Amino acid sequence: MADLIQLARLRFDDWDRVGRKAAVLGEALHAGFRVPDGFAVPWQVLADVLDGAGDDPRAAVQRIRTAPLSSALRKELSAALDALGGVPVAVRSSGVEEDLAGRSFAGQYDSVLKVVGVDAVIKALRQCWASAFSDHLAAYRSGVDTPAQVGVLIQAMVPATAAGVAFSANPVTGDRDETLVSAVTGLGDRLMAGESDADEWSVRDGTARLVSGPGKALTAAQAGEVAQLADRVAEQFGTPQDVEWACSDGTLWLLQARPITTLADDPAPPAVEVPPGFHVRDPRSPAPRPRLESTVYLPVLSASARRLFAFTTKVALTATDIGGWVYLNSGPADAGSMRRIAEQVAEGEPLALVERWESEWKPAYAVRIGQLRQRDIRALPEPALAAHTEEAAAFFAEFHDVYFRLAGAAMFLSARLGMLAHQYLDWPPGDLLPLRGGLAGAHMGAVIGLGDLARQAAADPVLRAELERDTAGALERLHSLNPHFAEAFETYLDEHGHRSPGFDLTEPTFAERPAVVLAMVTAQLDEHFDPEERRAALARRVHPLRAELERRLASRPATERQAFAAALAAAELSAPIRDEKSHLAVSAWALLRYAALEIGGRLAAAGRLDRQEDVFHVPLDQALAALGNSADLHQEVRLGRARHQWALAHPGPRFYGTPTAGPAQDPDPSELPADVRHVRDVASWTTRQMQMAPPQTPQTDGLGGLGGLGASAGRTTGLARIVRGPGDFGRVRKGDVLVCPETTAQWAVLFPSLAGLVADGGSLLSHPAILAREYGIPAVVATGNATAVLRDGDLVEVDGTAGTVRLNASLTARRTEQRHG
């Protein structure tokens, strides 16, 4: 062959002809590593295509797209593909400049996977060549005078059951004794694109430990094998390596290897300083926060969380970073706090805050969010972009203060209702809580909108069939399949998609993940969410409770009946605020994410970051300052990544210190004024309900049975769907049992499809419990670690009355046979 070179013939010294990726894999194949068979297209072939194009990148791209390839090259490509057996291939750019010291060019060139046939390979070949002339690569190569030289490597695709990357040394701490393995199920491009939650393993002395992620892609033994592969590659090339790998039917393949060019020199872990006092790990921070996020979120949380107990104990929460994790600290309430709360309650302040939300805050904040979102940040000059980012951060801080004021008011109103029900009627909280709520509030638009989309899709037989066959493929062809639906889908994303799934800046919004949203639409094709039908069903469930309530109240004094009616009305008015304020809060948070990504993109284009997302590992003030200067941020990113990675690998305990005792001399309740005693009773009721969940240690029967807290009555059977985050939302189907750590307001879009719910954490007052009761699905919370004990696809029986979760009897029997057979 005149132009193409078989991979088996390549050695590392051929890098200047075919690029470093192809040359390294040729050397690895020669050394005995298992590498998919293939061949390389030298960069000189591209040079021949570009002959006469001049130095204009646009002209080069136009010539790449239109210039005919020689018949000889086409024949060689066809013969080489036939020699591979006609299987799908990966067409991967292999730049001569890749993996140089200080500049890896990682992710700068294109690759195309699962390509079949010579025509498709030629199209992919042109795409790889054209990527060498992109604007972002030109910015990355700033200061390099030589023209871009990119070869192309074409290899047989590995039908991967798992894939990912591995580092033979920790790239952020510099620890040469630790190998890091990242893995996802299926192809590794999902990991590179950030579309899947990865398993993150740390391997030291042959022992693999799962650091984060669902743990579905690899076993510990397999993670150890991947680590051994990375270590052997490092030994072969004489320097720590960053490798890409894939596993197919138990066979491990090497897909790429390159030196770790930014390896830290100092592996010393950061010092963990624990301030005096009692500290509880923040339940809203399930993972360490990267530096940009931490510099915004931590001060806001510390300033606003003091509002949470404004009407119960007056205890002021503060937030502290301990070892990279967010902890909350609270001191004892002072003796005079109850008196001040009683005065505020007597003046009607909790209810006034709720009413102000409805009449003033909610509409005003919605308008401000819309105005900030409509701003075209891509067109802003650097000073204006910095100002916009600071405005978004300040707006989030302002809104979060209101957020916690409302949370404190709603907590009091809900607790007062529960306390009165206990005092007047001897009703336990579980019987009373279903009276609150009612699938109401502005936040329901996102849930109702999904149902409307599902109704439209189900009415089109062609679109429905395509969605059920291949949702991702249907997304690419929505406009040709059904232009009206495509327009409605885009409108939905614009109205409801620009919210972060939680308070995590690194998590893409739903607008950035349309495939996930379309998969949720697909889950409702057979039974669309009908809000009126669901509200009617909720009313039918609540009616007997209301009848019993009225019966019991009838015998109570008029003053008690009036007090209870007022408390119930106030609690019902405050119920929708729970999710409404959360939806607006994460809308404000998404504005900051978009601004940070725009900053990161500009800094990466200028060569001061390797990639756009690196900006999250830089403090916000430094990122903003970098827009106006020429500072190189690679070292800051390395330090930020090191801090984040170390914190992931070293989670602190749930508590630091010893709980602070209450006031030294607690007065006799009978000696307190009636209004103060009322506030004290409300505070006590709240404390009991927040602590009534069983210990966070699962009670198992050895076969997957779990005990927890029955949070929503009823029994159901369905397939367990393990969902750890929004990236898994698209996997949920009608009739599934959601098994999750906990939920936030953004998870409400899943509930119309669910048969039941099981959560690791929670209580009767927790978000998953409240939503489950509103949607009428059985739920068990506070199981401890259902997400670890149950397997995805298990057939489980959920008893939300008894608080138990069991595997289906027949499935349990099969497991027993497998275990002993």
Side-chain angles (χ1 to χ4, degrees):
M1 292 186 180
D3 291 318
L4 309 184
I5 306 175
Q6 292 299 309
L7 187 61
R9 292 173 46 208
L10 291 174
R11 298 294 183 272
F12 185 74
D13 289 341
D14 295 314
W15 66 268
D16 57 348
R17 290 199 295 158
V18 296
R20 291 178 181 268
K21 183 182 299 179
V24 166
L25 287 180
E27 184 72 29
L29 183 63
H30 179 70
F33 290 89
R34 188 176 286 107
V35 178
D37 195 11
F39 55 94
V41 182
W43 70 265
Q44 187 59 49
V45 177
L46 170 60
D48 293 342
V49 169
L50 292 176
D51 185 34
D55 297 329
D56 184 0
R58 292 183 178 82
V61 171
Q62 182 63 23
R63 190 164 181 83
I64 287 171
R65 291 173 176 169
T66 59
L69 300 184
S70 69
S71 58
L73 177 59
R74 185 182 180 89
K75 288 179 181 178
E76 286 191 49
L77 285 170
S78 181
L81 293 171
D82 288 341
L84 292 178
V87 298
V89 295
V91 182
R92 311 171 69 197
S93 302
S94 178
V96 170
E97 296 170 306
E98 281 187 285
D99 307 329
L100 296 173
R103 283 194 178 186
S104 68
F105 282 78
Q108 298 294 322
Y109 298 101
D110 282 359
S111 293
V112 186
L113 305 181
K114 295 185 286 189
V115 184
V116 179
V118 65
D119 290 334
V121 167
I122 290 174
K123 181 180 178 181
L125 183 66
R126 293 182 189 273
Q127 179 177 333
C128 291
W129 283 340
S131 69
F133 298 91
S134 65
D135 292 340
H136 68 82
L137 187 62
Y140 191 89
R141 297 183 74 250
S142 178
V144 180
D145 295 329
T146 58
Q149 299 174 338
V150 58
V152 177
L153 174 62
I154 300 174
Q155 292 176 281
M157 283 288 300
V158 174
T161 52
V165 299
F167 296 90
S168 65
N170 190 315
V172 290
T173 67
D175 190 349
R176 269 71 167 175
D177 296 325
E178 182 182 30
T179 302
L180 302 182
V181 177
S182 298
V184 296
T185 55
L187 296 176
D189 61 325
R190 295 167 56 238
L191 172 64
M192 308 306 175
E195 296 175 355
S196 177
D197 292 331
D199 296 340
E200 302 288 349
W201 294 85
S202 170
V203 184
R204 187 185 296 274
D205 297 328
T207 301
R209 179 173 62 87
L210 183 64
V211 174
S212 65
K216 297 184 295 188
L218 297 177
T219 65
Q222 290 171 327
E225 292 175 6
V226 175
Q228 290 179 7
L229 171 65
D231 293 342
R232 288 193 295 115
V233 174
E235 182 178 359
Q236 171 68 31
F237 292 102
T239 185
Q241 294 286 306
D242 165 4
V243 307
E244 294 181 21
W245 57 272
C247 185
S248 176
D249 294 329
T251 300
L252 190 59
W253 296 85
L254 176 65
L255 304 183
Q256 184 171 345
R258 56 183 172 226
I260 303 175
T261 58
T262 58
L263 196 61
D265 296 323
D266 183 9
V272 177
E273 299 181 1
V274 181
F278 180 61
H279 305 271
V280 181
R281 197 190 306 165
D282 177 21
R284 300 204 313 171
S285 300
R289 296 181 179 273
R291 284 207 291 176
L292 187 145
E293 182 177 299
S294 183
T295 56
V296 176
Y297 182 80
L298 202 60
V300 169
L301 180 62
S302 224
S304 55
R306 59 191 173 87
R307 307 275 196 180
L308 185 59
F309 300 111
F311 301 108
T312 50
T313 63
K314 216 71 171 182
V315 165
L317 291 178
T318 57
T320 306
D321 183 310
I322 304 178
W325 293 80
V326 179
Y327 282 80
L328 301 177
N329 170 270
S330 62
D334 65 87
S337 62
M338 293 296 175
R339 165 55 61 191
R340 292 194 295 274
I341 296 174
E343 292 171 354
Q344 292 172 307
V345 169
E347 294 171 357
E349 187 170 332
L351 184 57
L353 288 173
V354 170
E355 293 171 338
R356 186 178 177 188
W357 165 258
E358 192 66 34
S359 64
E360 177 187 342
W361 280 328
K362 182 173 68 173
Y365 284 138
V367 168
R368 287 180 63 183
I369 289 171
Q371 291 172 340
L372 286 169
R373 187 183 297 150
Q374 291 302 314
R375 193 174 289 166
D376 184 5
I377 59 176
R378 292 172 299 179
L380 296 177
E382 275 70 14
L385 176 59
H388 169 85
T389 306
E390 291 176 325
E391 183 180 355
F395 174 65
F396 178 77
E398 176 190 335
F399 183 86
H400 227 59
D401 188 69
V402 171
Y403 181 103
F404 274 98
R405 292 177 70 182
L406 290 164
M411 179 186 294
F412 172 83
L413 296 174
S414 174
R416 181 172 63 179
L417 177 64
M419 185 270 298
L420 292 180
H422 175 71
Q423 287 185 350
Y424 297 169
L425 311 175
D426 196 27
W427 265 24
D431 289 349
L432 175 73
L433 289 172
L435 292 174
R436 295 186 61 229
L439 302 175
H443 63 284
M444 286 296 297
V447 181
I448 294 171
L450 272 183
D452 291 340
L453 288 173
R455 191 174 293 104
Q456 291 184 48
D460 182 338
V462 174
L463 176 59
R464 178 189 176 115
E466 286 299 308
L467 289 174
E468 292 178 327
R469 186 181 67 84
D470 180 11
T471 303
L475 177 64
E476 297 178 358
R477 297 183 293 113
L478 271 189
H479 280 279
S480 60
L481 288 170
N482 187 320
H484 179 70
F485 177 86
E487 182 178 349
F489 184 72
E490 291 172 357
T491 299
Y492 179 88
L493 291 179
D494 186 59
E495 292 179 353
H496 304 293
H498 296 288
R499 300 185 176 101
S500 57
F503 294 105
D504 180 356
L505 282 182
T506 67
E507 189 78 44
T509 64
F510 287 123
E512 296 172 88
R513 295 196 280 201
V516 172
V517 179
L518 194 59
M520 289 190 285
V521 172
T522 305
Q524 292 191 43
L525 287 175
D526 290 325
E527 188 175 335
H528 334 306
F529 178 70
D530 184 331
E532 296 310 316
E533 179 184 312
R534 288 296 184 105
R535 289 182 181 122
L538 178 60
R540 289 192 296 271
R541 292 193 301 272
V542 169
H543 179 74
L545 293 174
R546 288 194 176 273
E548 176 63 13
L549 172 66
E550 291 174 2
R551 187 187 69 79
R552 294 195 186 191
L553 282 172
S555 61
R556 306 300 299 183
T559 54
E560 291 185 3
R561 294 199 302 271
Q562 293 169 359
F564 191 89
L568 179 59
E572 289 183 325
L573 185 63
S574 68
I577 294 178
R578 179 198 66 232
D579 282 354
E580 286 183 339
K581 62 182 176 57
S582 295
H583 272 276
L584 286 182
V586 294
S587 297
W589 199 231
L591 294 171
L592 189 59
R593 169 178 166 80
Y594 292 156
L597 286 174
E598 178 63 24
I599 293 171
R602 297 189 189 191
L603 295 177
R608 289 184 279 153
L609 295 175
D610 280 335
R611 55 186 64 83
Q612 184 182 41
E613 293 78 8
D614 285 349
V615 72
F616 294 124
H617 292 288
V618 178
L620 179 61
D621 58 350
Q622 292 191 27
L624 293 174
L627 284 174
N629 58 41
S630 58
D632 187 288
L633 296 178
H634 288 89
Q635 177 69 2
E636 283 298 327
V637 170
R638 183 183 69 80
L639 293 175
R641 284 188 181 279
R643 175 188 181 275
H644 189 69
Q645 199 70 22
W646 187 91
L648 271 174
H650 300 85
R654 290 182 62 202
F655 309 104
Y656 279 112
T658 304
T660 306
Q665 294 184 344
D666 210 7
D668 184 342
S670 63
E671 298 178 358
L672 294 173
D675 56 348
V676 176
R677 190 163 61 248
H678 176 74
V679 169
R680 177 193 175 96
D681 290 342
V682 171
S684 298
W685 190 92
T686 303
T687 302
R688 287 196 303 272
Q689 304 321 308
M690 294 179 72
Q691 295 177 346
M692 69 181 303
Q696 298 296 302
T697 301
Q699 301 173 359
T700 71
D701 60 6
L703 294 172
L706 290 169
L709 179 67
S712 181
R715 298 178 65 182
T716 190
T717 299
L719 295 179
R721 192 64 59 210
I722 311 297
V723 176
R724 297 178 183 275
D728 293 329
F729 281 13
R731 298 173 46 247
V732 175
R733 289 294 176 263
K734 184 68 182 175
D736 283 350
V737 172
L738 175 65
V739 182
C740 61
E742 203 157 338
T743 68
T744 65
Q746 284 58 58
W747 293 55
V749 291
L750 294 179
F751 278 71
S753 301
L754 301 180
L757 178 142
V758 180
D760 291 345
S763 67
L764 286 179
L765 298 177
S766 64
H767 187 270
I770 294 172
L771 271 186
R773 289 191 293 269
E774 291 185 354
Y775 282 86
I777 62 175
V780 178
V781 301
T783 60
N785 63 348
T787 53
V789 173
L790 298 176
R791 301 176 187 172
D792 202 72
D794 276 349
L795 186 60
V796 294
E797 299 171 350
V798 180
D799 189 331
T801 304
T804 60
V805 183
R806 297 276 179 193
L807 287 174
N808 177 269
S810 60
L811 181 57
T812 301
R814 289 203 303 274
R815 275 205 187 174
T816 304
E817 292 173 3
Q818 293 169 357
R819 198 170 285 180
H820 298 288

